[in-house]
């Protein structure tokens, strides 16, 4: 990620705000909708998103090894509000001076990563999860081509080992990519999504 010369913290902020936007489009009747995450309805997906925000915020503070920070919230009666609080926490943690230079312990990946790399993983999580939510709601994802181009760069770096892909993880095993795929479609397929099965539009 550092090779791109891109401000990964700013890119992550853009992705998180887009995820916030689409989550807050959901109405009361939408929370039980299916999502591209197999077996997860929208409420469960947003619980996972909130947990990841809190976990990454802890990792930015040097506490990522404590799995308590990565647990899904018990109270998901107000999913959008719970998600916004978690997103606010992670954005504040990443904005702390020096956060991108620290080591982040990420238990789900079984090791630690330089801060910029870890924030890059969070960034691609929220590009994809914003799409997941948009797909579940049948609405349009609004991210610029520049952001999506970097998302594809990061998607190519996400580990593919079976130990970190599949049920109960954010990403399924990678799928084949058609030669005419755009950057978002390629990134989604590399991360186990099947965009053609969901009637949402993307830029």
């Amino acid at each position: 990620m550092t090779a791109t010369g891109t401000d990964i913290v700013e890119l992550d902020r853009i992705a998180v705000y887009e995820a916030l936007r689409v989550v807050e489009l959901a109405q009361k009747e939408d929370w039980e909708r299916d999502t591209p995450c197999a077996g997860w309805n929208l409420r469960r997906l947003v619980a996972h998103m909130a947990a990841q925000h809190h976990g990454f915020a802890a990792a930015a503070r040097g506490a990522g090894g404590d799995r308590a920070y990565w647990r899904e919230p018990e109270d998901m009666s107000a999913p959008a509000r719970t998600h916004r609080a978690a997103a606010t926490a992670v954005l504040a943690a990443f904005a702390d001076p020096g956060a991108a230079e620290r080591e982040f312990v990420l238990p789900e990946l079984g090791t630690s990563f330089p801060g910029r790399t870890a924030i890059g993983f969070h960034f691609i999580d929220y590009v994809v999860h914003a799409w997941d939510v948009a797909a579940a709601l049948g609405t349009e994802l609004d991210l610029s081509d520049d952001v999506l181009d970097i998302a594809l760069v990061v998607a190519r770096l996400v580990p593919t080992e079976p130990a970190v892909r599949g049920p109960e993880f954010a990403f399924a095993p990678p799928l084949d990519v058609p030669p005419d795929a755009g950057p978002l479609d390629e990134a989604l397929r590399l991360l186990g999504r099947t965009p053609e099965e969901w009637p949402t539009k993307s830029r």
Side-chain angles (χ1 to χ4, degrees), residues 15-85:
V16 169
Y17 270 105
E18 178 62 3
L20 279 166
R21 184 186 71 81
V22 292
V23 166
E24 291 176 2
L25 294 175
Q27 302 299 307
K28 182 178 180 181
E29 62 273 15
D30 292 324
W31 296 111
E32 307 314 311
R33 284 177 179 259
D34 290 336
T35 74
C37 300
W40 288 4
N41 63 18
L42 187 58
R43 190 185 307 273
R44 175 67 195 283
L45 170 60
V46 172
H48 166 81
M49 292 164 68
Q52 290 289 302
H53 283 323
H54 284 304
F56 272 88
R61 299 191 305 267
D66 185 344
R67 287 185 175 270
Y69 289 110
W70 300 87
R71 291 181 189 143
E72 293 178 7
E74 292 183 8
D75 182 359
M76 285 299 294
S77 58
R81 186 171 65 218
T82 298
H83 175 252
R84 177 166 282 277

Side-chain angles (χ1 to χ4, degrees), residues 79-141:
R81 186 171 65 218
T82 298
H83 175 252
R84 177 166 282 277
T88 300
V90 79
L91 290 174
F94 287 177
D96 186 56
E101 280 69 54
R102 298 178 194 138
E103 281 288 303
F104 284 36
V105 176
L106 303 180
E108 288 183 353
L109 299 181
T111 188
S112 62
F113 294 87
R116 290 185 191 283
T117 300
I119 294 170
F121 290 153
H122 187 265
F123 161 64
I124 192 60
D125 256 7
Y126 286 86
V127 171
V128 174
H129 285 328
W131 177 85
D132 288 332
V133 175
L137 297 174
T139 195
E140 184 176 356
L141 190 64

